[in-house]
Amino acid sequence: MLTPVRSRVRMAALALSAVAALAFGATATTTGAAASPAPAKQGPTSVAYVEVNNNSMLNVGKYTLANGGGNVFDVAVIFAANINYDTGTKAAHLYFNENVQRVLDNAATEIRPLQQKGIKVVLSVLGNHQGAGFANFPSQQAASAFAEQLSDTVAKYGLDGIDFDDEYAEYGNNGTGQPNDSSFVYLVTALRANMPGKIISLYNIGPAASRLSYGGIDVSSKFDYAWNPYYGTWQVPGIALPKSKLSPAAVEIGRTSQSTVADLARRTVSEGYGVYLTYNLDGADRSADVSAFTRELYGSDAVYTP
């Protein structure tokens, strides 16, 4: 098994939980001004994860196609909120470190400009070494309560959806349970019911990703996208979704070689897959790295506009 290369920067100090934010934060934010999306393009959906501890979400909107002017990226992922565990209440809760909270609090300048270009903005949720994960809710009620925190956050900050990344939960810490078969099914079912028109995506890793069916219910079709979590590789996610919603390719911008980036993009097109995943877009001019896949996906170089 390969080891994911994505870096994880933890900033516990001065961080705020989503529970507190929902209770005491600003009033609900909507998508604001009418969108002025870039010209349409033909080809797979391109996804960009941004480590907001170090980089700005606005970087996603700085890349367009030389031919036609369309956005390079279609989905921007805020990386990452956390699922934390309250040892007092013995319950999981949604948590934002100071950098994620800053992005959300400044949605008008950090999120809305992307949405106005036609780019969807999704919040990734990740384990945080405390024993709480998507796969060990002790009851359907507990899973539904966490789903409500997620959907409330999407509504409050005018987001386009939620991404699940079942890493670093460290199941069993703080007396928490081990993964069970019902937990993630209950969570995804409740979340889809709460936000039927929004994106739910799966970073295809961890116990949750292999527990998509329970009690005769399979939640695979409730996901909009699923992608390979191992950068620089090709791996078809093991979920019953059409090729148009899957990214077997995964690359880390600036670290995966341009030749590999191009090869994976070429294979995405030749094998008929509809999504191409990138990670760790930073503030540098990465047009050479980005062009390595846009030439194959869209027949065009990428243009970087600071």
Side-chain angles (χ1 to χ4, degrees):
M1 177 66 72
L2 295 170
T3 301
V5 299
R6 88 193 309 179
S7 62
R8 306 297 188 178
V9 181
R10 289 282 166 262
M11 299 196 62
L14 303 177
L16 298 174
S17 72
V19 175
L22 291 171
F24 303 110
T27 56
T29 307
T30 64
T31 52
S36 300
K41 70 182 183 188
Q42 299 295 317
T45 296
S46 291
V47 181
Y49 277 82
V50 178
E51 291 258 16
V52 297
N53 285 337
N54 308 306
N55 300 298
S56 170
M57 291 301 297
L58 297 178
N59 294 329
V60 181
K62 294 179 179 179
Y63 293 88
T64 55
L65 297 175
N67 299 339
N71 295 317
V72 166
F73 297 105
D74 304 287
V75 180
V77 185
I78 302 169
F79 189 79
N82 297 108
I83 177 171
N84 277 13
Y85 188 70
D86 187 319
T87 56
T89 62
K90 298 188 182 303
H93 65 93
L94 186 60
Y95 174 92
F96 308 141
N97 74 21
E98 63 177 342
N99 295 300
V100 173
Q101 187 69 63
R102 172 185 47 76
V103 171
L104 297 175
D105 286 343
N106 293 283
T109 55
E110 297 279 339
I111 295 170
R112 249 26 107 222
L114 298 179
Q115 293 173 326
Q116 289 163 5
K117 291 175 182 284
I119 300 169
K120 302 293 187 182
V121 180
V122 171
L123 178 66
S124 186
V125 185
L126 177 74
N128 203 13
H129 312 281
Q130 298 184 7
F134 312 128
N136 70 342
F137 290 106
S139 66
Q140 184 173 6
Q141 181 180 15
S144 295
F146 190 73
E148 187 171 358
Q149 292 181 48
L150 295 174
S151 57
D152 283 351
T153 297
V154 168
K156 176 182 175 66
Y157 296 106
L159 301 173
D160 295 299
I162 293 292
D163 174 65
F164 288 111
D165 183 349
D166 191 16
E167 298 179 273
Y168 308 107
E170 296 186 20
Y171 290 100
N173 278 2
N174 291 313
T176 58
Q178 291 300 312
N180 62 63
D181 291 338
S182 62
S183 178
F184 197 44
V185 171
Y186 288 148
L187 175 61
V188 174
T189 299
L191 183 61
R192 177 50 77 205
N194 290 352
M195 46 180 228
K198 299 292 186 177
I199 292 170
I200 303 177
S201 59
L202 179 66
Y203 190 81
N204 190 49
I205 198 168
S210 62
R211 291 170 166 83
L212 302 177
S213 180
Y214 176 75
I217 298 172
D218 190 312
V219 294
S220 298
S221 64
K222 299 185 186 299
F223 290 93
D224 294 277
Y225 304 111
W227 29 71
N228 170 17
Y230 300 108
Y231 304 115
T233 74
W234 177 274
Q235 183 181 100
V236 179
I239 179 172
L241 284 173
K243 284 185 171 183
S244 61
K245 296 185 175 185
L246 296 176
S247 180
V251 303
E252 182 170 2
I253 294 174
R255 292 193 64 177
T256 304
S257 72
Q258 291 178 22
S259 61
T260 298
V261 167
D263 287 345
L264 292 174
R266 195 176 302 116
R267 187 171 180 182
T268 296
V269 173
S270 67
E271 297 192 21
Y273 287 94
V275 189
Y276 190 85
L277 177 69
T278 75
Y279 168 67
N280 208 22
L281 183 66
D282 60 19
D285 179 354
R286 297 291 183 184
S287 55
D289 295 296
V290 174
S291 292
F293 67 83
T294 61
R295 290 188 199 104
E296 304 298 332
L297 299 182
Y298 312 117
S300 174
D301 282 339
V303 176
Y304 172 76
T305 304

